[in-house]
Amino acid sequence: VSSLVPPGSVRISSTAPFDPAYGFYEDEQAPNTWRMVPSAQSGVLPNVAFLTPDDKIVLVVVNNTASYSVTKVQYNGMYANLYVDAESVATFVWNR
């Protein structure tokens, strides 16, 4: 991680499995209507994101479970599914 998060980087976000969260779901009875549902626990894999001095975002995700996981990441209104192997740490980098 230290090779991708150089000195001068700033932590911009982090999430743990027991942080509160909000989910958005399309109403099955009313298409194109979205509902926000609060949740006491986010259930996400532990993660932390950094902004580097060269304007890149580095996301570090820890999967401490016995099975692979798919993590959904949102950035600038777009989503990506990130696959993280069991019992591993994954690092993702993109330009801001």
Side-chain angles (χ1 to χ4, degrees):
V1 172
S2 63
S3 66
L4 298 172
V5 182
S9 297
V10 177
R11 182 180 62 86
I12 55 174
S13 182
S14 60
T15 309
F18 298 106
D19 289 346
Y22 294 92
F24 294 93
Y25 304 95
E26 188 170 13
D27 191 319
E28 293 178 5
Q29 306 278 324
N32 298 318
T33 300
W34 291 83
R35 308 283 182 206
M36 182 175 71
V37 180
S39 173
Q41 299 179 5
S42 67
V44 301
L45 296 176
N47 63 80
V48 61
F50 298 92
L51 179 60
T52 67
D54 60 349
D55 217 28
K56 294 188 185 302
I57 294 177
V58 178
L59 175 65
V60 181
V61 181
V62 177
N63 183 357
N64 52 3
T65 70
S67 60
Y68 85 94
S69 180
V70 179
T71 298
K72 183 180 280 190
V73 174
Q74 176 190 1
Y75 179 71
N76 278 348
M78 299 179 73
Y79 293 86
N81 290 323
L82 307 177
Y83 298 85
V84 184
D85 287 335
E87 299 177 351
S88 68
V89 176
T91 306
F92 305 92
V93 181
W94 65 91
N95 293 319
R96 190 169 85 147

